[in-house]
Structure formats: structure tokens, C-alpha cells
């Protein structure tokens, strides 16, 4: 690099650093940068992993020998419940989120994620929700009904303390974080790739993360709905799951596993993305079957939603329905196998070289394939019935989850740690650590196949001597401790790498993806200028690109107005279509998460009226977030380099926040669809139907409510049109707000006067919940409408800068659509129930 | 250098085959539950065929037909885009076409049991 070029690069670095930096000391709590939040996510997830690991050691200590009195059944129930809960909700998902948050912008050639403040909010929600669970465990009131929380075991009759509430509220809190991350990842991948990075040039990890995030948007809402319904049952006696009052405990199982099985693939797919990224680097050959892998990921994503009943094969479902789910369960092995064959083909066509990440890749292939094979066995109904609820299932799920997530994550950790630390691994400890983990894992869990086949049931706190389980359990326990030693070595290894690892300049593995075009550890702004991608983004030359970008030769190789700028592109072609102005450091995510946390704690301690205070504070804080967004005048098209000019995202058609609202509503719509499923499921399947009392609304009030909801949406649409034509939007938005007030009032009136007592029967409870759902959305519609008026008054809206109004329009449309459907459902159900009774 | 723009709807179309599979799966599972709840398996409508069987098989055929339409439409788009090329348009269209085939096979394999299994026991 010439002297002039070097000094330009340093000047640009300093200017960008001043804009993107996070301050020292307490200002770290205001961090929103993805580098910082991503690392925090991963460290926190690893801490939770350690807690889950300690719990597993307690389990193995208890089961090492028969008739052990180490812990009693009550504590044992808490231990295995918390082990599963921590590993699934507090480790696996957040670890993948942390990885995505840290690496995604780097892989895509962006400076940050689409919504940095949302990233920070997600992190704090995760930490606070997880802390509630851990503190409860330390206080001896941890959840104890299993990580799946089956009713009626988790209902207030059989779990009267706050243990189950801790799970329901804590996990829902954590899931806010997961949904936030899913929206963020989806929008970032679709809208914030480097210029030129069309869909066919995206690094394969981008595809994996995009589809995983989409699965989260559709997969998590059933569980969120289930958790809300169960908490309502426990807190207010609404009998959604109580078979004596028209509810059904199977409804919980359906809602839980509608989430639970896709969850397995939500965990696996990002890990497979890491494998697909690492293997080509060490095989020194580009990934084979890129297109086939993309098809396979799509297939896995969809098929994984058709498997959930294989967790319920023994509950008494007709054989034909079992056949649907059995076939789909076996079928999902095919797209999974396509990926495995693509990896093997890449290795076979390349010149593989061994290093620590590859050890874990081979460990993954061995363990995961075994887990997949036992998965196909379990997909077969007769075999499933034989081993149901036995240790065989425990063995299978650990082979799949540890094989499909932990081994790939360890490969990813060794592969990408140099990027985080700027230093290389000390091989002397890494290799023995792998072998301890590999041997320890197989010793622990392979034995469980046999204890399961010999009839040992899951979740027992002890077992009698002399039934053939003794030595297998002892070996499992010994293996468990060997496994733990391996993880302990890894911790030491990572600490040593941070402290004594050998520094390197750039791209130590010879990788060909964009993250290695950065200096390491990476600066807060990622790239001094943004690259133009002219080929598949896992076949680049990072060293050459890195120098060019550092010298400011790419796009946005300058600073402007102190803005944190990155580029938005067309979803398919990667053509730049907007410059995105990101928000800077702020404490608002922290305060908002604290307010949500206070709300959750009020619910947990059953001080329901007090919970309205933090709820109101949360709403106010969310409005405060908008203070830093928007522009007070039109900027027109702005230069981004290379002779291209694009508008700011406030003036562009498909801004990230508009898409975020679209995906949030998809998520919300899935929750609503799950509610509809619950209503019809109870009518068809639950005992105790038909109910003795039905909703009697008359036609007028519900018709008026539906018409006002429609009116609110139409006036909001007219406001957007009027704004585009140059004025008059405020009055129309005020009319929309008035319509929302009227609609909310009418629905509240219906709830108060037309519904039977919601605690009398599940029918009344679901009608209550459906109307409440509509009322809450309409009330938020009022907020959106008034917010639009406020923004216009502030001068933040113009004919070009209409983003706030267009986002509001989406909400009003959704509210009208689901509101009319919900009201119609409440009106129609009495007719259906009267005509048919309940199905049995 | 930068690829020609393809409509964002084509991203959604890449999922079309499996959306049909999902709809078919939900429809058959729901109708099976409704039929079993109301005794359709005991109502004979075509000789020895029960109402349940007729409805389920009809739904399966509609699903397969719809899946086939998605395959054909995807094939036409794929050919128009230049077959199995590596640029954006052929990539998107060929992924949609392959996914549509995979989904059609999945429909037949996972829902085909309506042709021969007892429905409500």
C-alpha cells in the first residue's frame, strides 16, 4: 500500500471509529454494536451451557448406581427440567443467535445488523429471562414438570407453587429475544447484503440463517400462545387445558411440539451452515451442490413442521394420522442426507487438510449420522411405541442435538475464534480436548440406547439393582465426567488462546468469505467501505478485497453528517437501493428490557394490577425509541460511491423497518392461526362439549366492531395516499384513531356483556381470549394512528418520508383482517356448536 | 457486474411447492379429525367406500394436482430463464422447480396412506 493510500485509510478508520465506537465504563451498557452484542450473547450462552452441564453431572451422579440417595425425587425433577430448559432455551438458540449477530453482517458485507437497538433489547431480555430461571433454581423453586411442561402435571392442581410460572414467564421473556433476533436476521439477509451479492452469490451460511430465521417466525408463536394460555389457566382459572371443563391437555402437547420439533431443526440448520462454510475451506474446494443444498434446506424447513406428532405417537391418535407424521418424519432424512452427501463430495473432490475444526467436523458426521439413523427408527410407529419414554429416546435426542449442534459449534468456535481474538489456537490442548469430548460423549450416550432397549424409563430419579441397567448407567456416568473434562480443557484452551495465542495478520485458514477480508479483531464499523461482490461470496479473495476496502475504494468509503451508514439493496439482485442510517448507542434497550422484566416479575408474583405500571412504562419507552429515527427534511438521492446515488431508507420504498413489520405480522399471524387451531381442536377433540352456555351477542355490536376496524384500516390507507399527494393525512389518521377507540370499546363491551363466565368452560375461555386479542390489537392501532399524527406534527413525515405511516398501515390492515376474522369466529362458533355438539 | 433484478415474489415462489404440501398436510389432517369426530368413516357413499375415504382421496388428488401445476409452472419459468444456468434468474427458477418436485414427492409419500390405511382406528 502506498504511503498516501495508507494515510487515507488511517484517516477514514479514525473518522468511522469516532462515529461507530462504544464508550468505556458504564457506557458499555448502551452498546448496540453487533460485534459487542454478538460476543455477549455467545459468552452468556456458554455460561448457561456450563450451568446446564453442571446439572447434567448431578443427574449422572444420581444415576451412576442403583438406589442412590444423592438427591430426592423433588429436587431431581427440578434438575432434569432445568437441564433441558437451560440447554434448549438458554444455550442452543441464543448461541446460534450470538453467532449470527456477530458474523452475519461480516459474511454479507454490511456494517451492522438492520436494528442494532433491537439486538441489544434481545440480549437484555435473554439475560433477564434466563436469570429469573436460574435464581428460581437457586431458591429451590425451579420448574419441575419437565422441559416440555405437559399439562395437567404443570397445571395449578398438580403444580401449585410458582415453579411452573417461572418457566412459562421466564421462557416467554426469552422468546421475545428469539423473535427479535429472527426478524433482525431475516431483514438483514434480505436487505443488507453487499452490492452485487445476488441470492445466487450469497454465502451458503446466508441461506441457512435466512431459512432458520423464517422457521423461528413461524415455529415460536405456537409455544408463546401455549405459554400464555397455560399461564392464564394457572393465574385466572381459564380452563384451556382442563378436561373437566371442555379443555384438553393434548392441546398443550400439540402447541408445544408444533414449536418443539421445528426447534430441533432451528438448532441444527445454523450448525449445518457452519459445517458448509468450514468444509470447503479445509477441503480447499468450493462447496459442491450449492443449489441442491438450498433446495434441501427449504425442504427440511417445511418438512420439520410436519413431524410434531411423532412426539405424541402413544396418545391415541388414529393410525392414518400417525402414518402422515411417520412418513414425514422418515422423509426429512432425505434432504438432510443431501447435505451430508454434498459435504462428503466436497471433501472427496478437494485436498483435505486436518486441523482442529476438522476434527469436530468428523466428530459431527459420526455422531449426527448415528442420531439420524435412530431418528428414522423412532419415526416408525411400532418401534416408537416400544421405546417410548425410555432411555433410547434420551440417547437419540442427545446424538442429534449434541451431534447436530455442539460438535459443529465447537468446529465453528475453533474456526472463527481467531477472528474474534486476532490470535491462533494452541494445538497442544485442542486435540486432547476433542478426544475427551468424542470418547466421553459416545460412552455416555451410546449406553443409553441399551438401557432404553432394556426398558429403563426416562425421568426416574433412581432404579432398582439387578435389572441389567447397573453397569450401563455406571459407564454412562463415567463417560459424562470424561465429557466434562473435555469441555473444561476447551475453556482453558480458549483462555490460553486469548492470552498466549500467536497473532496473525489476516485470514489464517485461507478462507474465501468476506469476514476474513477484515482486520481482526474487527473494528466496530466492520468495513471501511463496502465491497462489490461479483461472484459467489464463498469464492472471493479476502486479502485483495481487504486492502481495497480498508483504503475506502468500495461503497460508502467516507463519512457524512456523523451518520452510521450502511447500504440497503434489492432483495434478489443485490442492486443498491437505499442508504440505511442506523441508530447510535443508547440506554433505551436496557431500560425497556428492565421495564418488561418488571412486568414479568409482577405477573410472577401475582400482583396483576401493579403490572400495568411497567407495561405503561414499556410503551412509553418504545415511543422514546422513535426520537432518534426519522429526518426533518428530504435529502433526495445521496452519493454512495462509484457514481451511484440512492435515497435514505426513510425515503425508500422497501425500508428494513417496513419489512420488519411485515415479518413481525407473519409471526403474529401464526400465533393467531394457532389460536384458531386451538378453538377447533377443543371443539372436535376435547371432552365436555357442547358447553351449556353459549355467546349471545346479537348481530349489531359485533358488526359495528368489525365495521369500525375496517374503517380504521381504510382511513389509515387514505392517510398514506393523502400524504403522498401533499397533505391532509393528520385528520384521516385522527379518524382512524377514533375508529380504533370505538372498536376497542365495542369489543370490551362484548367481553363484559355477551360472554359466559370464561372460567366456566374452555369454549368461553377461547372466545374471551379471541376478543381480547382483537381488542389489544385495536388499542395498539390507536397508538400507531396517534404516533403518525405526532410524527407529521414534528415534521418527520413528508410525501417522500412516509415510512412511519406505511408501517402503521400494515398494522391497521392486519388488525382489521384478524379482527373481522376473530369476531366472525366468535359469532359462528355458537352456530357450529349448536348444530353439531362436540366431536368425540 | 450486478445481476438483473428478479421480482421479490420469485423468492416466495421458491417455496410454492412446499406451501402446497403444507396446505395439503393441514387439510388432510384436519378433515381426518373432523370426519372421525362425526363418523364419516361409517357412512358409505360409493359402494363399500366410506364418505371419509372419498373425501380424503379427493383431497389427496387435488393436492397432487395442485403440486403438479406448481411443477409445470416452475418448469416453464425455468426454461424461460435459461435452464440450469448459474446466474440469478436460472438459479431462482431452478431452485423453485427442484423444490416443487421434492414437495410433490413428499405429498405422495406422506399423504399417500389415505389410499389404504383404516382412517379412524
Amino acid at each position: 500500500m502506498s504511503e498516501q493510500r495508507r494515510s487515507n485509510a488511517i484517516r477514514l478508520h479514525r473518522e468511522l471509529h469516532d462515529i461507530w465506537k462504544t464508550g468505556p465504563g458504564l457506557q458499555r451498557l448502551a452498546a448496540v454494536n453487533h460485534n459487542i452484542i454478538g460476543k455477549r450473547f455467545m459468552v452468556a450462552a456458554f455460561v448457561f451451557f456450563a450451568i446446564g452441564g453442571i446439572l447434567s453431572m448431578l443427574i449422572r451422579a444420581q444415576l451412576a448406581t442403583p438406589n442412590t440417595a444423592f438427591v430426592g425425587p423433588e429436587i431431581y425433577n427440578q434438575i432434569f427440567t432445568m437441564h433441558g430448559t437451560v440447554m434448549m432455551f438458554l444455550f442452543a438458540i441464543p448461541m446460534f443467535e450470538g453467532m449470527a449477530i456477530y458474523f452475519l453482517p461480516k459474511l454479507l458485507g454490511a456494517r451492522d445488523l438492520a436494528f442494532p437497538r433491537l439486538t441489544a433489547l434481545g440480549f437484555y431480555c435473554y439475560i433477564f429471562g434466563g436469570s429469573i430461571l436460574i435464581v428460581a433454581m437457586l431458591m429451590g423453586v425451579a420448574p419441575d414438570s419437565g422441559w416440555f411442561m405437559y399439562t395437567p402435571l404443570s397445571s395449578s392442581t398438580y403444580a401449585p407453587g410458582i415453579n411452573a410460572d417461572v418457566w412459562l414467564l421466564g421462557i416467554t421473556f426469552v422468546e421475545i429475544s428469539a423473535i427479535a433476533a429472527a426478524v433482525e436476521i431475516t431483514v438483514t439477509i434480505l436487505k443488507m447484503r453487499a452490492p452485487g451479492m445476488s441470492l445466487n452469490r450469497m454465502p451458503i451460511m446466508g441461506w441457512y440463517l435466512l431459512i432458520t430465521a423464517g422457521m423461528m417466525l413461524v415455529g415460536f408463536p405456537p409455544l408463546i400462545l401455549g405459554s400464555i394460555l397455560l399461564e392464564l389457566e394457572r393465574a385466572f382459572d381459564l380452563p384451556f387445558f382442563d378436561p373437566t371443563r371442555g379443555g384438553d391437555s393434548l392441546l398443550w402437547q400439540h402447541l408445544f411440539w408444533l414449536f418443539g420439533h421445528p426447534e430441533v431443526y432451528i438448532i441444527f440448520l445454523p450448525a449445518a451452515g457452519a459445517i458448509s462454510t468450514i468444509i470447503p475451506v479445509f477441503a480447499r474446494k468450493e462447496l459442491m451442490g450449492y443449489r441442491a443444498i438450498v433446495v434441501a434446506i427449504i425442504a427440511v424447513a417445511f418438512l420439520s413442521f410436519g413431524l410434531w406428532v411423532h412426539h405424541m405417537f402413544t396418545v391415541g391418535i388414529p393410525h392414518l394420522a400417525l402414518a402422515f407424521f411417520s412418513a414425514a418424519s422418515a422423509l426429512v432424512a432425505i434432504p438432510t442426507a443431501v447435505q451430508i452427501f454434498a459435504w462428503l463430495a466436497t471433501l472427496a473432490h478437494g485436498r483435505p487438510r486436518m486441523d482442529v475444526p476438522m476434527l469436530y467436523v468428523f466428530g459431527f458426521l459420526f455422531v449426527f449420522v448415528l442420531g439420524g439413523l435412530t431418528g428414522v427408527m423412532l419415526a416408525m410407529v411400532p418401534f416408537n411405541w416400544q421405546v417410548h419414554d425410555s432411555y433410547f429416546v434420551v440417547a437419540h435426542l442427545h446424538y442429534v442435538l449434541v451431534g447436530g449442534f455442539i460438535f459443529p459449534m465447537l468446529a465453528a468456535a475453533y474456526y472463527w475464534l481467531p477472528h474474534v481474538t486476532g490470535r491462533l489456537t494452541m494445538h497442544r490442548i485442542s486435540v486432547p480436548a476433542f478426544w475427551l469430548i468424542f470418547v466421553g460423549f459416545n460412552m455416555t450416550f451410546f449406553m443409553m440406547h441399551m438401557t432404553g432397549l432394556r426398558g429403563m424409563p426416562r425421568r426416574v430419579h433412581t432404579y432398582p439393582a439387578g435389572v441389567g441397567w447397573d453397569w450401563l448407567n455406571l459407564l454412562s456416568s463415567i463417560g459424562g465426567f470424561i465429557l466434562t473434562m473435555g469441555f473444561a480443557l476447551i475453556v482453558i484452551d480458549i483462555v490460553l488462546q486469548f492470552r498466549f495465542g500467536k497473532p496473525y495478520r489476516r485470514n489464517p485458514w485461507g478462507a474465501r468469505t468476506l469476514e476474513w477480508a477484515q482486520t481482526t479483531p474487527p473494528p466496530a464499523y466492520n468495513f471501511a467501505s463496502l465491497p462489490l461482490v461479483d461472484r459467489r461470496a464463498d469464492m472471493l479473495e479476502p486479502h485483495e478485497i481487504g486492502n481495497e476496502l480498508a483504503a475506502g475504494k468500495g461503497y460508502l468509503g467516507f463519512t457524512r453528517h456523523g451518520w452510521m451508514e450502511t447500504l440497503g439493496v434489492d432483495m434478489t439482485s443485490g442492486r443498491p437501493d437505499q442508504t440505511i442510517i442506523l441508530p447510535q448507542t443508547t440506554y433505551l434497550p436496557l431500560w425497556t428490557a428492565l421495564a418488561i422484566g418488571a412486568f414479568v416479575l409482577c405477573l410472577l408474583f401475582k400482583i396483576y394490577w401493579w403490572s400495568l405500571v411497567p407495561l405503561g412504562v414499556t410503551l412509553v419507552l418504545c415511543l422514546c425509541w422513535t426520537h432518534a429515527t426519522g429526518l426533518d427534511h428530504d435529502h433526495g438521492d445521496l452519493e454512495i460511491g462509484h457514481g451511484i446515488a440512492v435515497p435514505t431508507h426513510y425515503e425508500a420504498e422497501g425500508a428494513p423497518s417496513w419489512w420488519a413489520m411485515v415479518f413481525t405480522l407473519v409471526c403474529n399471524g401464526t400465533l393467531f392461526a394457532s389460536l384458531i387451531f386451538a378453538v377447533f381442536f377443543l371443539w372436535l377433540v376435547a371432552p365436555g362439549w357442547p358447553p351449556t352456555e353459549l355467546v349471545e351477542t346479537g348481530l349489531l355490536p359485533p358488526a359495528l366492531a368489525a365495521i369500525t376496524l375496517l374503517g380504521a384500516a381504510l382511513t389509515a390507507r387514505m392517510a398514506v395516499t393523502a400524504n403522498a399527494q401533499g397533505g391532509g393525512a393528520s385528520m384521516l389518521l385522527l379518524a382512524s384513531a377514533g375508529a380504533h377507540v370505538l372498536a376497542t370499546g365495542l369489543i370490551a363491551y362484548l367481553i363484559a356483556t355477551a360472554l359466559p363466565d370464561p372460567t366456566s368452560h374452555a369454549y368461553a375461555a377461547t372466545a374471551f381470549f379471541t376478543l381480547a386479542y382483537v381488542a389489544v390489537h385495536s388499542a395498539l392501532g390507536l397508538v400507531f394512528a396517534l404516533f403518525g399524527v405526532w410524527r407529521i406534527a414534528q415534521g418527520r413525515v413528508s410525501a417522500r418520508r412516509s415510512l412511519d405511516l406505511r408501517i402503521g398501515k400494515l398494522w391497521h390492515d392486519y388488525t382489521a383482517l384478524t379482527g373481522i376474522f376473530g369476531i366472525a369466529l366468535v359469532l359462528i362458533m355458537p352456530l357450529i356448536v349448536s348444530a353439531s355438539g362436540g366431536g368425540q | 457486474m450486478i445481476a438483473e433484478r428478479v421480482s421479490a415474489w420469485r423468492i416466495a415462489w421458491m417455496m410454492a411447492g412446499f406451501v402446497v404440501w403444507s396446505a395439503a398436510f393441514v387439510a388432510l389432517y384436519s378433515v381426518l379429525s373432523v370426519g372421525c369426530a362425526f363418523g364419516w368413516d361409517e357412512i358409505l357413499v360409493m359402494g363399500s367406500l366410506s364418505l371419509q375415504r372419498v373425501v380424503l382421496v379427493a383431497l389427496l388428488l387435488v393436492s397432487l394436482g395442485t403440486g403438479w401445476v406448481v411443477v409445470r409452472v416452475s418448469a416453464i419459468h425455468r426454461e424461460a430463464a435459461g435452464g440450469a444456468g448459474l446466474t440469478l434468474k436460472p438459479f431462482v427458477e431452478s431452485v423453485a422447480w427442484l423444490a416443487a418436485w421434492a414437495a410433490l414427492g413428499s405429498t405422495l409419500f406422506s399423504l399417500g396412506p389415505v389410499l389404504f390405511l383404516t382412517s379412524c382406528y
Side-chain angles (χ1 to χ4, degrees):
Chain A
M1 205 186 280
S2 72
E3 209 46 47
Q4 176 64 33
R5 202 168 163 183
R6 191 186 303 275
S7 74
N8 283 345
I10 291 169
R11 181 185 48 77
L12 180 59
H13 163 73
R14 284 185 182 145
E15 287 173 8
L16 285 165
H17 176 74
D18 286 344
I19 294 172
W20 289 78
K21 71 182 177 194
T22 299
L26 278 179
Q27 291 177 54
R28 291 191 176 95
L29 295 173
V32 296
N33 188 273
H34 77 110
N35 284 312
I36 296 172
I37 305 292
K39 281 189 277 189
R40 285 180 188 173
F41 252 106
M42 289 189 277
V43 169
F46 194 81
V47 170
F48 283 117
F49 176 69
I51 294 170
I54 290 167
L55 292 170
S56 70
M57 288 300 92
L58 296 178
I59 293 172
R60 286 320 316 166
Q62 171 73 12
L63 296 178
T65 52
N67 301 313
T68 310
F70 179 54
V71 292
E74 291 80 13
I75 297 296
Y76 187 78
N77 288 347
Q78 292 189 25
I79 290 174
F80 77 72
T81 299
M82 283 299 289
H83 169 69
T85 301
V86 167
M87 288 303 197
M88 295 299 277
F89 293 104
L90 304 182
F91 163 63
I93 294 283
M95 180 57 93
F96 128 65
E97 287 168 10
M99 188 183 77
I101 287 167
Y102 183 85
F103 283 109
L104 191 56
K106 300 171 177 65
L107 283 161
L108 298 178
R111 281 182 174 154
D112 205 325
L113 291 163
F115 310 106
R117 295 179 301 179
L118 192 63
T119 323
L121 175 70
F123 173 72
Y124 289 122
C125 285
Y126 159 51
I127 288 296
F128 295 157
S131 301
I132 288 173
L133 282 151
I134 301 303
V135 169
M137 183 174 73
L138 296 175
M139 306 284 283
V141 287
D144 54 2
S145 310
W147 83 277
F148 37 78
M149 293 295 285
Y150 277 0
T151 59
L153 185 59
S154 58
S155 299
S156 51
T157 312
Y158 301 102
I162 67 164
N163 308 53
D165 302 307
V166 168
W167 191 97
L168 293 167
L169 294 166
I171 291 302
T172 304
F173 197 6
V174 172
E175 280 172 358
I176 296 172
S177 160
I179 296 290
V183 170
E184 176 123 73
I185 290 168
T186 309
V187 175
T188 302
I189 294 174
L190 288 175
K191 286 301 297 178
M192 294 176 67
R193 305 190 302 269
M197 192 187 284
S198 50
L199 287 177
N200 57 317
R201 291 175 184 165
M202 207 158 56
I204 194 70
M205 185 62 140
W207 279 105
Y208 275 104
L209 290 177
L210 174 64
I211 289 170
T212 304
M215 289 174 70
M216 288 168 76
L217 292 176
V218 183
F220 277 59
L223 178 62
I224 294 175
L225 175 73
S227 300
I228 294 170
L229 297 184
L230 183 51
E231 187 55 29
L232 284 172
E233 177 174 299
R234 291 177 56 82
F236 302 111
D237 200 27
L238 302 186
F240 299 105
F241 307 105
D242 178 357
T244 64
R245 288 178 288 164
D248 197 327
S249 55
L250 278 188
L251 173 62
W252 170 265
Q253 293 197 26
H254 278 292
L255 291 174
F256 183 84
W257 289 116
L258 255 168
F259 146 83
H261 203 85
E263 157 90 342
V264 174
Y265 292 91
I266 288 169
I267 291 170
F268 166 66
L269 285 178
I275 294 290
S276 293
T277 306
I278 294 168
I279 284 181
V281 174
F282 288 92
R284 289 176 278 196
K285 175 80 185 167
E286 73 272 14
L287 182 66
M288 303 293 286
Y290 177 91
R291 189 186 323 238
I293 288 180
V294 173
V295 175
I297 308 169
I298 294 171
V300 165
F302 276 88
L303 291 172
S304 71
F305 281 91
L307 320 182
W308 82 89
V309 167
H310 80 212
H311 295 271
M312 302 164 62
F313 274 170
T314 58
V315 301
I317 287 170
H319 289 178
L320 182 53
L322 296 186
F324 295 163
F325 290 95
S326 173
S329 303
L331 206 55
V332 79
I334 295 175
T336 309
V338 167
Q339 294 167 72
I340 290 172
F341 285 120
W343 297 327
L344 293 178
T346 307
L347 286 168
H349 281 76
R351 291 172 292 118
R353 63 190 160 97
M354 282 303 290
D355 211 314
V356 181
M358 282 304 279
L359 278 177
Y360 285 99
V361 168
F362 285 116
F364 151 77
L365 285 169
F366 179 84
V367 173
F368 184 71
V369 168
L370 276 180
L373 291 175
T374 53
V376 176
M377 291 164 75
L378 282 166
M380 303 300 119
V381 177
F383 183 80
N384 187 293
W385 283 352
Q386 285 296 314
V387 297
H388 174 76
D389 221 12
S390 77
Y391 257 85
F392 188 91
V393 180
V394 181
H396 158 71
L397 74 91
H398 281 90
Y399 264 80
V400 170
L401 291 172
V402 176
F405 189 73
I406 307 268
F407 276 91
M409 279 296 110
L410 289 171
Y414 275 105
Y415 177 69
W416 274 307
L417 255 179
H419 193 284
V420 179
T421 62
R423 293 167 184 271
L424 294 171
T425 309
M426 315 268 289
H427 286 76
R428 268 170 291 189
I429 298 184
S430 317
V431 176
F434 165 78
W435 285 110
L436 281 174
I437 287 173
F438 185 76
V439 171
F441 171 81
N442 283 292
M443 193 168 163
T444 307
F445 294 103
F446 191 81
M447 305 306 150
M448 290 184 191
H449 291 108
M450 290 186 278
T451 47
L453 289 172
R454 290 180 175 207
M456 182 169 170
R458 302 170 68 177
R459 308 181 198 101
V460 286
H461 78 287
T462 189
Y463 53 91
V467 288
W469 305 339
D470 309 25
W471 65 275
L472 290 168
N473 270 299
L474 184 60
L475 280 178
S476 273
S477 295
I478 293 169
F481 283 90
I482 293 172
L483 181 61
T484 306
M485 283 184 243
F487 282 115
L489 270 193
I490 283 186
V491 174
I492 295 168
D493 195 24
I494 291 173
V495 171
L496 288 177
Q497 183 176 336
F498 268 93
R499 186 73 184 83
F500 302 111
K502 190 176 148 196
Y504 68 95
R505 170 141 172 73
R506 186 174 277 170
N507 195 9
W509 307 116
R512 301 181 70 184
T513 39
L514 267 175
E515 79 274 25
W516 297 105
Q518 301 178 302
T519 52
T520 48
Y525 53 82
N526 269 351
F527 299 99
S529 60
L530 304 183
L532 173 67
V533 174
D534 59 0
R535 68 193 86 160
R536 214 169 82 188
D538 55 359
M539 297 161 72
L540 303 170
E541 302 297 337
H543 189 74
E544 287 172 24
I545 296 173
N547 287 335
E548 291 291 308
L549 298 183
K553 301 289 181 191
Y555 294 92
L556 289 179
F558 50 82
T559 58
R560 169 165 52 200
H561 308 310
W563 286 349
M564 286 167 48
E565 279 185 87
T566 190
L567 282 179
V569 296
D570 169 65
M571 279 188 181
T572 54
S573 65
R575 187 176 298 275
D577 63 6
Q578 56 195 283
T579 176
I580 297 166
I581 304 164
L582 296 173
Q584 293 177 323
T585 53
T586 167
Y587 292 98
L588 276 171
L590 175 62
W591 296 129
T592 310
L594 282 170
I596 300 172
F599 172 69
V600 169
L601 288 175
C602 286
L603 296 182
L604 188 59
F605 293 113
K606 305 190 189 308
I607 42 177
Y608 299 113
W609 288 109
W610 279 103
S611 70
L612 296 176
V613 175
L615 192 62
V617 172
T618 304
L619 183 63
V620 171
L621 285 168
C622 287
L623 289 171
C624 290
W625 283 45
T626 61
H627 181 69
T629 61
L631 297 169
D632 53 13
H633 66 276
D634 294 346
H635 282 73
D637 287 355
L638 299 173
E639 182 72 24
I640 58 169
H642 298 272
I644 299 177
V646 293
T648 66
H649 76 277
Y650 298 111
E651 300 170 45
E653 196 57 41
S657 39
W658 189 86
W659 281 107
M661 179 55 96
V662 170
F663 293 120
T664 304
L665 292 177
V666 167
C667 179
N668 195 348
T670 312
L671 188 140
F672 187 69
S674 304
L675 175 61
I676 308 295
F677 164 78
V679 172
F680 283 102
F681 177 85
L682 291 176
W683 163 61
L684 275 176
V685 175
W689 283 65
T692 50
E693 274 188 282
L694 296 172
V695 175
E696 290 175 8
T697 60
L699 261 181
L700 189 62
L704 269 178
I707 289 167
T708 47
L709 284 173
L710 191 62
L714 287 175
T715 44
R717 280 176 163 264
M718 288 159 66
V720 174
T721 309
N723 178 66
Q725 292 165 352
S730 292
M731 290 309 293
L732 286 161
L733 283 173
L734 283 172
S736 178
H740 277 302
V741 171
L742 195 57
T744 310
L746 280 165
I747 295 163
Y749 169 77
L750 280 176
I751 290 173
T753 61
L755 292 188
D757 176 6
T759 63
S760 63
H761 195 273
Y763 158 75
T766 52
F768 168 80
F769 189 84
T770 307
L771 289 179
Y773 176 92
V774 178
V776 167
H777 279 71
S778 184
L780 286 171
L782 168 67
V783 175
F784 272 102
L786 293 178
F787 174 71
V789 176
W790 180 44
R791 296 289 275 187
I792 291 170
Q794 280 186 317
R796 300 285 176 106
V797 173
S798 71
R800 270 181 77 94
R801 287 171 287 121
S802 60
L803 181 58
D804 292 327
L805 304 192
R806 286 184 286 119
I807 289 173
K809 188 181 85 170
L810 289 170
W811 184 270
H812 300 300
D813 286 351
Y814 176 85
T815 301
L817 194 69
T818 51
I820 292 167
F821 195 90
I823 291 167
L825 181 71
V826 172
L827 274 180
I828 289 167
M829 276 311 285
L831 304 176
I832 296 175
V833 171
S834 303
S836 63
Q840 301 304 322
Chain B
M1 201 75 87
I2 293 181
E4 188 188 340
R5 190 176 175 279
V6 173
S7 163
W9 285 108
R10 302 313 296 169
I11 304 178
W13 183 257
M14 290 161 81
M15 320 278 168
F18 274 103
V19 169
V20 172
W21 173 83
S22 305
F25 199 91
V26 170
L28 267 89
Y29 185 43
S30 307
V31 168
L32 172 66
S33 304
V34 172
C36 290
F38 294 105
W40 294 359
D41 57 318
E42 289 166 8
I43 303 170
L44 299 181
V45 288
M46 293 171 69
S48 61
L49 287 178
S50 67
L51 174 63
Q52 177 83 315
R53 179 80 59 198
V54 170
V55 172
L56 289 174
V57 171
L59 269 176
L60 174 65
L61 292 175
V62 169
S63 307
L64 289 171
T66 313
W68 176 248
V69 169
V70 175
V71 168
R72 286 307 308 148
V73 173
S74 301
I76 292 165
H77 279 288
R78 178 174 170 269
E79 280 158 30
L86 292 173
T87 53
L88 174 62
K89 219 167 186 179
F91 172 80
V92 170
E93 301 303 351
S94 60
V95 166
W97 177 70
L98 288 168
W101 267 117
L104 185 62
S106 302
T107 306
L108 185 62
F109 186 74
S110 58
L111 303 176
V114 299
L115 297 169
F116 51 86
L117 280 183
T118 54
S119 58
C120 297
Y121 297 97

